Each structure stands twice: as C-alpha cells, then as structure tokens.
Amino acid sequence: MAVAAEGDAVPLLDRPVRRLVGDRTAKELEKLGVRTVEDALLHLPRRYVVPGELTDMRSLTVGEDVTVMARVAGVSLRRTQRGTALLHVTITDGVREMLLAFFARTTKVLEHHQRRLAVGRVGVFGGRVRAYRGAYELTHPDYQVIGVDVDDEAAALDRSSRPMPFYPASSALPTWRVRKAVATVLGAVRPEDVLDPVPQELRAARGLADRYSTLRELHDPADEGQYHRGRDRMRYEEAFVLQAALARRRRAVAQQEAVARPGAPDAASGLLAAFDLRLPFTLTAGQAEVGEAIARDLAQPRPMQRLLQGEVGSGKTLVALRAMLQVVDSGGQAALLAPTEVLAAQHTRTLRSLLGPLAEDGLLGAADAATRVTLLTGSLGAAARREALLDVASGRAGIVVGTHALLGPKVQFADLGLVVVDEQHRFGVEQRDALRTRADGPTPHLLVMTATPIPRTVAMTVFGDLETSTLTEVPAGRPGVTTHVVPADNHAWLERTWRRVREEVDAGHRVYVVCPRISADDDAGDEGTDAADLVTDVAGLRWEESRTPASADPTATDREFLRLMTAEGFVPPPDEPRPLRAVLDVAQELRGHPALAGVPIGILHGRLGAAEKDDTMARFAGGEVPVLVSTTVVEVGVDVPEATVMVVMDADRFGLSQLHQLRGRVGRGSDPGLCLLVSSAAPGTAAAARTEVLASTTDGFRLADADLRLRREGDVLGASQSGRGSSLRLLRVLEDADLIATARQDALELVEADPSLARWPALRRAIDRWLGPDREEFLERS
C-alpha cells in the first residue's frame, strides 16, 4: 500500500508530566510508570463502569486492594465504649453489603464524611478489604461521591451519565486522582502534538480513528461504544508497532552474511553420520522433519533464525545436537547457552554420553572424527577455565556449553557457526545477540529452544523474528506422569505422600522434593525461580493521610490506630504471609520422619558451588542419595531416568509453566512418574486453578493456553532493559489472533517498502519508546 510520509516528532510528548500536574502528583504517578506527557496519555483505564452499574461484591476477597462502585445504604455515627468516634457506613451492590469504617478522636472530625455519604448516594470507594465480624470492610477508604464532588451542577449531571474510567492506581493516588491528572495533561495537548505510529492510509483502510481522537474517547468516553472502539484501535496499534519492530529485526538479520554450514563433504563419513549410527533408537517423524528444516537453513549463506519448541521430553536436545554436529562437520563451532550452571553441566554430561567416543578428541579410544565438548561457566577454577578458554579459542572444542560466562570478553571462538539458546524465557534478546555478535566476521546461525510449547499467537507476537518449528511427539516408551493435588493442611494426605516416597526409594527409584526457598530466613527465590510467582503481598495497617480529611488528627500513630480498631472487633491481617517451605528445613524434617528412616537425603540450591552441585547430582543419579530436596534449579533439562516422583511444596505459589517443567523431570525412563502438588490455595482462587489445570492434563499446548489465560497477558513480553515497560497494555494474544495476523501483514509490507522507516518517524519513535531508547534488541522474552 503506497503511503505518504509524515512529519517529524513534536517534543511536547517527551516533557516531564510534573510540569502539568505538580511535583507531588508526579511523584506518585512515577510509581505507576508515568513520567512523561506521553506516558500519561497512554496510561489507559483498565475498565469502565457504566451509569447505574454497581460492583458485584461477590468478586471481592480479603486482603485485596479494590475500587468498587456502590450505593450508600446506611450511616451510623457513634462513640465506642472506649470513647473513640466511629462512623460506620453501609454500602451495597443491591444484593450484598459492605462496611466502611472511619475512626477519630472526636465525632466532629467524622461529620465531614457523614454529610457527604448520605443514604442513597452512589460513590466509588477504594481500599483494602478487611474482615470484620464475618463481613467485608474498608477502613478509612478513599472515595468520591458521584454528582457531589463536582462544583458545577451541569457538569455533575453530565459526568454521572457517562461511563466512568477506572485507572491502574495506588493507595496514595486513587483512580479518580489519576483521572484528574490525565485530564489535565489531555487538556494541554493539541491534536498535532500526538504523533500517530499508524500511517493515515492504514487507518483509512482498517477503519481506525486517529490517535488523538482515540485517546480522548478512551479517557473520557461519552458512551460504551466510544471506549470499545478506542480499545480496538489501540490494540491494533500495539500489534502493529510490535510487528513492525520484529519485521525490521528479522529483515536486518536476513541481510547479514553467514557462512553456509552444509556438513561434511562426504556425508557418510562425517561426525553427524557417525552419531546417527550410534543412536539406539529411531528418530521420531517430528525430529526427522524438523532436523531436515534446520539442516537446510544451516546450508544457506544467511543466518538461520529458528525457534524450536516442543513438549517436555520431546527430544529438543537431540535435534539441537544434530544441528551442532552438522556445523562441526563444516569446520565450525557450536555454542549452547544455558540459563543455569546446573543445566549447563547437565547438558554437558548428556552430550558427552550421547556422543561417547565421538566427544573424546585427544583421548585414547576416541573415534577418528571425534570432537570435544567443553563446559565453560563462571565458577570454574582458574586452571580449568584456562584450559576451557584454550579449547574454545583453538577450535579444539567443537561444542561449547556454558552460561552467561560465554558472553564474557575473554571468550574467543575460533569459528563460531551456531548459537543454540536453551530455555529462551531466561534470556533477553540482547544476551543471545551478545554471543552472536562476538564472532568476528559473518553472523552465526541461531537456534532458540523453549522449555514448553507456546500458543501460536504468542509465537507470532513474541518470537515474530524467528521461524518456528514444533515437536509434538514424545519418544516411544515413555510411560507418562500422573498428577495429584495434596492439601497442605491434610495431615493424612501428607503422611501418605512421604510413605509413597519411601516406597519409590525401596523400589530403586529417585525422588525430587522442590521448595520455593533455600532457608526460612530468605526471600522467595533462587536460580530459575520467578519471585513474582512466589511472593504474596499482605501489607499491615497503615495510617494514610490521604485517606482522611485535612481536619483529622494527624498525631495518631499506627500503633494507637490499630489498638482503637482492634477494640472494635477489627481483625487485622497477619504481619507476614504464610511462610514458604524452605529446602534446609524440609530436608531436616524428612531426615527425622519415621517413613524415611535411614534414607539418605541430599540438598541442592543455587548457592552451592559448582563442584558441590555436580557431586550432589551425580550421587542422586547414581542412587547413593535417592531423595533430593531442591529449589527450582532442577526445573529444566535435568535428566535422571530413575526419577519417578516429584513432590512440589507450596505448589500454589509457582506458575503453571514452571510446574509443568518440574513435572517433566520425572517419568523419563521406563517407569511411570508421579507428581504430587502440595497446595494450600483456597478453592476458586487463581492459584488453585493452576494446580487443578496441571492435574487435569499433560498436554503442554493446552497448558500453555491455560497459563496465558490465568496470568496477565501483558506479561508475555516481559520488561525492557531500558527500564521502560514493554508489556502489552490492551492486546490479548489469544483473543486477538486475527488482529495480530492483520497487523503483522501490514507491518511486513511497510517495512519491506521502507526498511529504515525514514518516511515514518512516528512509527520509528514508537518502536524506540517500546523497546528502548537505542536498540530493538532490548525486547525481553518471557
């Protein structure tokens, strides 16, 4: 589509928002990620409430920060027996009721609230849900009364008839104050100030409004139709900008030169052919098909960019090894980048085991065409590191396995031909590219592997710069894994869990017990652990000045305020969330458990040295230590065929894909696997849903869809290294598949016609804003 060029950027959008809203509001907005005028314009409402629509209180839970619209049903101002003034306001959604509680030393302080919160009025109330005598309560909520908190009567009537936007907010800056700040910014912006990344001809072809009009309708819609149209328009913009960035990236790499790596001149005598003859099994149809596609890519003089995804245990490592051997046969080297030292060491052992004499170059008994597999991690001793660096620099090591240590400036490859990135969700693009651009001369080929299957639209959205290959078959002979949820508060079930562990040990099998923490004194997290999945925020009571009128007693302390409320029957939340199980504590408990008497129990976590980790894994694999209590360092890639049971403590605190990976560590041999998810999640919660979904299926593709639906879709992209959020705002990668496909095609055509986007400065600016100030490589994968 021929599109005319547009004008250059106007700097107003980059000005600090504090110039318009003041320092105090700007400080709170910054905590929400809003720093500039454009940030404020793009801080879009997360939902809308139409006139007359009250919040369904069935959806509320204790401890949750909420903003609800409700009608005042009753007001009671009195003194307690201790002399404290208490204003109780009852609000309702028409069926259920909720209390608002305001405390003060004198009733005069509370009369301000009593006058505003008259029976029958509708308001928006924000605060944290508490438990009070079996009912829900908001204590000293911030609020706004509809039709009252506007001076002009006509404006109040108009405001009360329009949909009300609810913004991402905070306790210090509630939604209506965010709305006021955004309105101030919007009032200072002219149409020509708002740069539109979607070219006018594309807007016309797709029936989309311009960006300025869209933002006005999203922030202040006259009716439901306006904000629905505005959301559709901004979803397209999100998809278009992202796809344009990926298209530019893909085209730029395709223009680079690469060395063709077709394999040995005599295919029958090469390392790959010798390896295939060693295999005690036949490749699955999927492995053979994907392998042929990769082989064709490697034989081209342009860099391969391929994503290899597959079910847990589908043989991705074998496919990657065959690709690496083709490169070695062509005279080059291959690097395998793993996210943790445990996984890097495991890969090294696996590759050496698969290759046998073919990996023993320089040793007695090595095969004629042998190469060397070298491990390079940050914890290697000085002598071992020097030897590894020499192997890499001399080209003696055809295959190099490592962690981020491979990215170090002292690592020099003789002829790097292929980079394999394992568990891509642990690496940003800038990390994988750092290794590719380290090579002097032509760009190495790239093969990215994901831990679990991902939905097609996620692949298109997140990995749009890569060709995608998928392995759906699991090698024959795998007996499968059964999954059960074990209630953490059911003593009988827990006792049966440990008896089952003993039965597996007595049968000669191995058992993993995974915990989210190393010790009781630690925050959640370790190598490979997503702390966002593990930490529950249960804040204590705070006296918020912003939640009281100016005349309220400012000398009241948190402690006295809590005492006054406790005297009235208020039940505060616990000071700390329920402690998560820790490796050191659980290992100690199991060593003293009658069911496991005499059973050696090992521990593994990220703080152990590399040698100790390797020794622990070797003893576990060999059966000397049949029970391993570990953090999630065993989440991916660890392969012990004798392991048959995976017990996950606090399973409700892990993400669904992470649980699927943990489950994939067992049942990898000839014996069936068992995964026991110890959970304390309440029925009906998202955490309970995760464990229930996992127990219901082993289909990784179904779980990938479920995982995306259960968590915020904006997390698909992660966050950029530049510090700017690159999460999706409105785009839904599952529901908006057709929209993404359309935007992808539009972006491809635009980039093909103008790769530098010289004619489209607004689009170029939007890409820079999303993906960082300097490079598109800052885009992170999640």
Side-chain angles (χ1 to χ4, degrees), residues 602-629:
I603 62 172
L604 183 70
H605 53 75
R607 293 182 190 165
L608 298 178
E612 192 172 359
K613 290 178 188 175
D614 289 344
D615 178 66
T616 298
M617 285 304 303
R619 292 167 63 207
F620 176 66
E624 183 182 346
V625 178
V627 176
L628 184 64
V629 184

PDB file of all heavy atoms in Angstrom, residues 602-629:
ATOM      1  N   GLY A 602      19.595 -35.609  50.124  1.00  0.00           N
ATOM      2  CA  GLY A 602      20.505 -34.555  49.695  1.00  0.00           C
ATOM      3  C   GLY A 602      19.793 -33.237  49.495  1.00  0.00           C
ATOM      4  O   GLY A 602      18.556 -33.168  49.467  1.00  0.00           O
ATOM      5  N   ILE A 603      20.576 -32.180  49.360  1.00  0.00           N
ATOM      6  CA  ILE A 603      20.023 -30.853  49.097  1.00  0.00           C
ATOM      7  C   ILE A 603      20.738 -30.238  47.906  1.00  0.00           C
ATOM      8  O   ILE A 603      21.914 -30.515  47.650  1.00  0.00           O
ATOM      9  CB  ILE A 603      20.129 -29.912  50.323  1.00  0.00           C
ATOM     10  CG1 ILE A 603      21.595 -29.681  50.705  1.00  0.00           C
ATOM     11  CG2 ILE A 603      19.337 -30.451  51.491  1.00  0.00           C
ATOM     12  CD1 ILE A 603      21.783 -28.613  51.780  1.00  0.00           C
ATOM     13  N   LEU A 604      20.003 -29.396  47.166  1.00  0.00           N
ATOM     14  CA  LEU A 604      20.556 -28.721  46.001  1.00  0.00           C
ATOM     15  C   LEU A 604      19.908 -27.356  45.877  1.00  0.00           C
ATOM     16  O   LEU A 604      18.689 -27.238  45.918  1.00  0.00           O
ATOM     17  CB  LEU A 604      20.295 -29.544  44.729  1.00  0.00           C
ATOM     18  CG  LEU A 604      20.885 -28.990  43.430  1.00  0.00           C
ATOM     19  CD1 LEU A 604      22.406 -29.116  43.450  1.00  0.00           C
ATOM     20  CD2 LEU A 604      20.317 -29.739  42.225  1.00  0.00           C
ATOM     21  N   HIS A 605      20.750 -26.333  45.731  1.00  0.00           N
ATOM     22  CA  HIS A 605      20.218 -24.979  45.509  1.00  0.00           C
ATOM     23  C   HIS A 605      21.297 -24.119  44.871  1.00  0.00           C
ATOM     24  O   HIS A 605      22.464 -24.540  44.740  1.00  0.00           O
ATOM     25  CB  HIS A 605      19.716 -24.349  46.811  1.00  0.00           C
ATOM     26  CG  HIS A 605      20.717 -24.354  47.932  1.00  0.00           C
ATOM     27  ND1 HIS A 605      21.784 -23.488  47.973  1.00  0.00           N
ATOM     28  CD2 HIS A 605      20.810 -25.131  49.039  1.00  0.00           C
ATOM     29  CE1 HIS A 605      22.491 -23.711  49.078  1.00  0.00           C
ATOM     30  NE2 HIS A 605      21.930 -24.706  49.738  1.00  0.00           N
ATOM     31  N   GLY A 606      20.932 -22.936  44.462  1.00  0.00           N
ATOM     32  CA  GLY A 606      21.806 -22.090  43.676  1.00  0.00           C
ATOM     33  C   GLY A 606      23.008 -21.548  44.402  1.00  0.00           C
ATOM     34  O   GLY A 606      23.950 -21.066  43.766  1.00  0.00           O
ATOM     35  N   ARG A 607      23.025 -21.604  45.730  1.00  0.00           N
ATOM     36  CA  ARG A 607      24.165 -21.048  46.464  1.00  0.00           C
ATOM     37  C   ARG A 607      25.316 -22.036  46.615  1.00  0.00           C
ATOM     38  O   ARG A 607      26.393 -21.654  47.052  1.00  0.00           O
ATOM     39  CB  ARG A 607      23.706 -20.597  47.849  1.00  0.00           C
ATOM     40  CG  ARG A 607      22.754 -19.418  47.803  1.00  0.00           C
ATOM     41  CD  ARG A 607      22.375 -18.981  49.194  1.00  0.00           C
ATOM     42  NE  ARG A 607      21.282 -18.008  49.156  1.00  0.00           N
ATOM     43  CZ  ARG A 607      20.560 -17.676  50.210  1.00  0.00           C
ATOM     44  NH1 ARG A 607      20.795 -18.260  51.378  1.00  0.00           N
ATOM     45  NH2 ARG A 607      19.586 -16.799  50.101  1.00  0.00           N
ATOM     46  N   LEU A 608      25.082 -23.287  46.297  1.00  0.00           N
ATOM     47  CA  LEU A 608      26.151 -24.270  46.376  1.00  0.00           C
ATOM     48  C   LEU A 608      27.171 -24.013  45.269  1.00  0.00           C
ATOM     49  O   LEU A 608      26.830 -23.529  44.192  1.00  0.00           O
ATOM     50  CB  LEU A 608      25.585 -25.684  46.238  1.00  0.00           C
ATOM     51  CG  LEU A 608      24.587 -26.139  47.309  1.00  0.00           C
ATOM     52  CD1 LEU A 608      24.091 -27.551  46.996  1.00  0.00           C
ATOM     53  CD2 LEU A 608      25.216 -26.099  48.694  1.00  0.00           C
ATOM     54  N   GLY A 609      28.407 -24.360  45.516  1.00  0.00           N
ATOM     55  CA  GLY A 609      29.430 -24.241  44.493  1.00  0.00           C
ATOM     56  C   GLY A 609      29.192 -25.233  43.370  1.00  0.00           C
ATOM     57  O   GLY A 609      28.487 -26.237  43.529  1.00  0.00           O
ATOM     58  N   ALA A 610      29.807 -24.967  42.215  1.00  0.00           N
ATOM     59  CA  ALA A 610      29.591 -25.814  41.042  1.00  0.00           C
ATOM     60  C   ALA A 610      29.992 -27.252  41.305  1.00  0.00           C
ATOM     61  O   ALA A 610      29.282 -28.195  40.925  1.00  0.00           O
ATOM     62  CB  ALA A 610      30.369 -25.251  39.858  1.00  0.00           C
ATOM     63  N   ALA A 611      31.142 -27.450  41.966  1.00  0.00           N
ATOM     64  CA  ALA A 611      31.606 -28.812  42.228  1.00  0.00           C
ATOM     65  C   ALA A 611      30.639 -29.542  43.150  1.00  0.00           C
ATOM     66  O   ALA A 611      30.354 -30.736  42.957  1.00  0.00           O
ATOM     67  CB  ALA A 611      33.004 -28.776  42.848  1.00  0.00           C
ATOM     68  N   GLU A 612      30.114 -28.825  44.152  1.00  0.00           N
ATOM     69  CA  GLU A 612      29.176 -29.454  45.082  1.00  0.00           C
ATOM     70  C   GLU A 612      27.858 -29.793  44.390  1.00  0.00           C
ATOM     71  O   GLU A 612      27.256 -30.831  44.645  1.00  0.00           O
ATOM     72  CB  GLU A 612      28.937 -28.522  46.270  1.00  0.00           C
ATOM     73  CG  GLU A 612      28.214 -29.188  47.433  1.00  0.00           C
ATOM     74  CD  GLU A 612      28.159 -28.317  48.667  1.00  0.00           C
ATOM     75  OE1 GLU A 612      28.696 -27.190  48.645  1.00  0.00           O
ATOM     76  OE2 GLU A 612      27.573 -28.772  49.680  1.00  0.00           O
ATOM     77  N   LYS A 613      27.419 -28.908  43.489  1.00  0.00           N
ATOM     78  CA  LYS A 613      26.204 -29.204  42.725  1.00  0.00           C
ATOM     79  C   LYS A 613      26.396 -30.451  41.872  1.00  0.00           C
ATOM     80  O   LYS A 613      25.540 -31.346  41.848  1.00  0.00           O
ATOM     81  CB  LYS A 613      25.846 -28.024  41.814  1.00  0.00           C
ATOM     82  CG  LYS A 613      25.349 -26.776  42.514  1.00  0.00           C
ATOM     83  CD  LYS A 613      25.103 -25.698  41.462  1.00  0.00           C
ATOM     84  CE  LYS A 613      24.787 -24.357  42.092  1.00  0.00           C
ATOM     85  NZ  LYS A 613      24.674 -23.288  41.079  1.00  0.00           N
ATOM     86  N   ASP A 614      27.533 -30.504  41.160  1.00  0.00           N
ATOM     87  CA  ASP A 614      27.799 -31.653  40.291  1.00  0.00           C
ATOM     88  C   ASP A 614      27.870 -32.939  41.101  1.00  0.00           C
ATOM     89  O   ASP A 614      27.338 -33.983  40.703  1.00  0.00           O
ATOM     90  CB  ASP A 614      29.110 -31.447  39.523  1.00  0.00           C
ATOM     91  CG  ASP A 614      28.993 -30.385  38.448  1.00  0.00           C
ATOM     92  OD1 ASP A 614      27.845 -30.039  38.102  1.00  0.00           O
ATOM     93  OD2 ASP A 614      30.024 -29.903  37.966  1.00  0.00           O
ATOM     94  N   ASP A 615      28.538 -32.875  42.261  1.00  0.00           N
ATOM     95  CA  ASP A 615      28.658 -34.064  43.106  1.00  0.00           C
ATOM     96  C   ASP A 615      27.293 -34.516  43.615  1.00  0.00           C
ATOM     97  O   ASP A 615      26.986 -35.721  43.630  1.00  0.00           O
ATOM     98  CB  ASP A 615      29.593 -33.760  44.284  1.00  0.00           C
ATOM     99  CG  ASP A 615      29.734 -34.947  45.226  1.00  0.00           C
ATOM    100  OD1 ASP A 615      30.291 -35.976  44.794  1.00  0.00           O
ATOM    101  OD2 ASP A 615      29.279 -34.849  46.381  1.00  0.00           O
ATOM    102  N   THR A 616      26.467 -33.541  44.011  1.00  0.00           N
ATOM    103  CA  THR A 616      25.131 -33.883  44.517  1.00  0.00           C
ATOM    104  C   THR A 616      24.293 -34.541  43.426  1.00  0.00           C
ATOM    105  O   THR A 616      23.627 -35.558  43.670  1.00  0.00           O
ATOM    106  CB  THR A 616      24.418 -32.615  45.021  1.00  0.00           C
ATOM    107  OG1 THR A 616      25.165 -32.066  46.109  1.00  0.00           O
ATOM    108  CG2 THR A 616      23.010 -32.932  45.488  1.00  0.00           C
ATOM    109  N   MET A 617      24.319 -33.964  42.226  1.00  0.00           N
ATOM    110  CA  MET A 617      23.537 -34.543  41.126  1.00  0.00           C
ATOM    111  C   MET A 617      24.046 -35.932  40.752  1.00  0.00           C
ATOM    112  O   MET A 617      23.262 -36.840  40.449  1.00  0.00           O
ATOM    113  CB  MET A 617      23.571 -33.626  39.908  1.00  0.00           C
ATOM    114  CG  MET A 617      22.701 -32.388  40.020  1.00  0.00           C
ATOM    115  SD  MET A 617      20.954 -32.749  40.381  1.00  0.00           S
ATOM    116  CE  MET A 617      20.522 -33.823  39.016  1.00  0.00           C
ATOM    117  N   ALA A 618      25.369 -36.123  40.786  1.00  0.00           N
ATOM    118  CA  ALA A 618      25.930 -37.430  40.451  1.00  0.00           C
ATOM    119  C   ALA A 618      25.525 -38.476  41.482  1.00  0.00           C
ATOM    120  O   ALA A 618      25.174 -39.618  41.132  1.00  0.00           O
ATOM    121  CB  ALA A 618      27.455 -37.331  40.358  1.00  0.00           C
ATOM    122  N   ARG A 619      25.541 -38.107  42.743  1.00  0.00           N
ATOM    123  CA  ARG A 619      25.141 -39.046  43.811  1.00  0.00           C
ATOM    124  C   ARG A 619      23.656 -39.352  43.739  1.00  0.00           C
ATOM    125  O   ARG A 619      23.222 -40.467  44.007  1.00  0.00           O
ATOM    126  CB  ARG A 619      25.515 -38.466  45.176  1.00  0.00           C
ATOM    127  CG  ARG A 619      27.030 -38.379  45.399  1.00  0.00           C
ATOM    128  CD  ARG A 619      27.358 -37.531  46.601  1.00  0.00           C
ATOM    129  NE  ARG A 619      26.826 -38.106  47.821  1.00  0.00           N
ATOM    130  CZ  ARG A 619      26.507 -37.392  48.896  1.00  0.00           C
ATOM    131  NH1 ARG A 619      26.637 -36.069  48.876  1.00  0.00           N
ATOM    132  NH2 ARG A 619      26.034 -37.989  49.964  1.00  0.00           N
ATOM    133  N   PHE A 620      22.856 -38.343  43.367  1.00  0.00           N
ATOM    134  CA  PHE A 620      21.422 -38.556  43.208  1.00  0.00           C
ATOM    135  C   PHE A 620      21.153 -39.483  42.025  1.00  0.00           C
ATOM    136  O   PHE A 620      20.398 -40.463  42.143  1.00  0.00           O
ATOM    137  CB  PHE A 620      20.730 -37.204  43.008  1.00  0.00           C
ATOM    138  CG  PHE A 620      19.246 -37.290  42.742  1.00  0.00           C
ATOM    139  CD1 PHE A 620      18.373 -37.751  43.716  1.00  0.00           C
ATOM    140  CD2 PHE A 620      18.727 -36.900  41.515  1.00  0.00           C
ATOM    141  CE1 PHE A 620      17.001 -37.821  43.481  1.00  0.00           C
ATOM    142  CE2 PHE A 620      17.365 -36.969  41.263  1.00  0.00           C
ATOM    143  CZ  PHE A 620      16.502 -37.433  42.257  1.00  0.00           C
ATOM    144  N   ALA A 621      21.769 -39.206  40.886  1.00  0.00           N
ATOM    145  CA  ALA A 621      21.562 -40.025  39.703  1.00  0.00           C
ATOM    146  C   ALA A 621      22.022 -41.455  39.928  1.00  0.00           C
ATOM    147  O   ALA A 621      21.406 -42.415  39.431  1.00  0.00           O
ATOM    148  CB  ALA A 621      22.300 -39.419  38.507  1.00  0.00           C
ATOM    149  N   GLY A 622      23.107 -41.622  40.698  1.00  0.00           N
ATOM    150  CA  GLY A 622      23.634 -42.960  40.953  1.00  0.00           C
ATOM    151  C   GLY A 622      22.904 -43.731  42.025  1.00  0.00           C
ATOM    152  O   GLY A 622      23.172 -44.928  42.219  1.00  0.00           O
ATOM    153  N   GLY A 623      22.017 -43.060  42.757  1.00  0.00           N
ATOM    154  CA  GLY A 623      21.232 -43.744  43.784  1.00  0.00           C
ATOM    155  C   GLY A 623      21.826 -43.698  45.170  1.00  0.00           C
ATOM    156  O   GLY A 623      21.214 -44.182  46.129  1.00  0.00           O
ATOM    157  N   GLU A 624      23.000 -43.115  45.319  1.00  0.00           N
ATOM    158  CA  GLU A 624      23.602 -43.007  46.657  1.00  0.00           C
ATOM    159  C   GLU A 624      22.755 -42.128  47.563  1.00  0.00           C
ATOM    160  O   GLU A 624      22.626 -42.362  48.764  1.00  0.00           O
ATOM    161  CB  GLU A 624      25.014 -42.444  46.526  1.00  0.00           C
ATOM    162  CG  GLU A 624      25.765 -42.342  47.841  1.00  0.00           C
ATOM    163  CD  GLU A 624      27.149 -41.744  47.679  1.00  0.00           C
ATOM    164  OE1 GLU A 624      27.641 -41.646  46.534  1.00  0.00           O
ATOM    165  OE2 GLU A 624      27.741 -41.355  48.712  1.00  0.00           O
ATOM    166  N   VAL A 625      22.168 -41.081  46.954  1.00  0.00           N
ATOM    167  CA  VAL A 625      21.238 -40.181  47.665  1.00  0.00           C
ATOM    168  C   VAL A 625      19.940 -40.191  46.871  1.00  0.00           C
ATOM    169  O   VAL A 625      19.777 -39.416  45.924  1.00  0.00           O
ATOM    170  CB  VAL A 625      21.805 -38.756  47.778  1.00  0.00           C
ATOM    171  CG1 VAL A 625      20.801 -37.839  48.484  1.00  0.00           C
ATOM    172  CG2 VAL A 625      23.128 -38.755  48.515  1.00  0.00           C
ATOM    173  N   PRO A 626      18.980 -41.048  47.218  1.00  0.00           N
ATOM    174  CA  PRO A 626      17.797 -41.227  46.367  1.00  0.00           C
ATOM    175  C   PRO A 626      16.733 -40.146  46.501  1.00  0.00           C
ATOM    176  O   PRO A 626      15.832 -40.067  45.670  1.00  0.00           O
ATOM    177  CB  PRO A 626      17.242 -42.575  46.822  1.00  0.00           C
ATOM    178  CG  PRO A 626      17.680 -42.691  48.248  1.00  0.00           C
ATOM    179  CD  PRO A 626      19.019 -42.017  48.330  1.00  0.00           C
ATOM    180  N   VAL A 627      16.804 -39.308  47.542  1.00  0.00           N
ATOM    181  CA  VAL A 627      15.841 -38.213  47.722  1.00  0.00           C
ATOM    182  C   VAL A 627      16.600 -36.899  47.684  1.00  0.00           C
ATOM    183  O   VAL A 627      17.557 -36.707  48.444  1.00  0.00           O
ATOM    184  CB  VAL A 627      15.063 -38.340  49.043  1.00  0.00           C
ATOM    185  CG1 VAL A 627      14.133 -37.140  49.239  1.00  0.00           C
ATOM    186  CG2 VAL A 627      14.265 -39.638  49.075  1.00  0.00           C
ATOM    187  N   LEU A 628      16.178 -36.008  46.796  1.00  0.00           N
ATOM    188  CA  LEU A 628      16.844 -34.715  46.637  1.00  0.00           C
ATOM    189  C   LEU A 628      15.861 -33.602  46.935  1.00  0.00           C
ATOM    190  O   LEU A 628      14.846 -33.451  46.252  1.00  0.00           O
ATOM    191  CB  LEU A 628      17.378 -34.572  45.209  1.00  0.00           C
ATOM    192  CG  LEU A 628      18.180 -33.301  44.919  1.00  0.00           C
ATOM    193  CD1 LEU A 628      19.463 -33.270  45.739  1.00  0.00           C
ATOM    194  CD2 LEU A 628      18.502 -33.195  43.425  1.00  0.00           C
ATOM    195  N   VAL A 629      16.144 -32.823  47.988  1.00  0.00           N
ATOM    196  CA  VAL A 629      15.341 -31.643  48.313  1.00  0.00           C
ATOM    197  C   VAL A 629      16.021 -30.448  47.656  1.00  0.00           C
ATOM    198  O   VAL A 629      17.197 -30.170  47.925  1.00  0.00           O
ATOM    199  CB  VAL A 629      15.228 -31.438  49.837  1.00  0.00           C
ATOM    200  CG1 VAL A 629      14.308 -30.256  50.150  1.00  0.00           C
ATOM    201  CG2 VAL A 629      14.704 -32.699  50.501  1.00  0.00           C
TER     202      VAL A 629
END
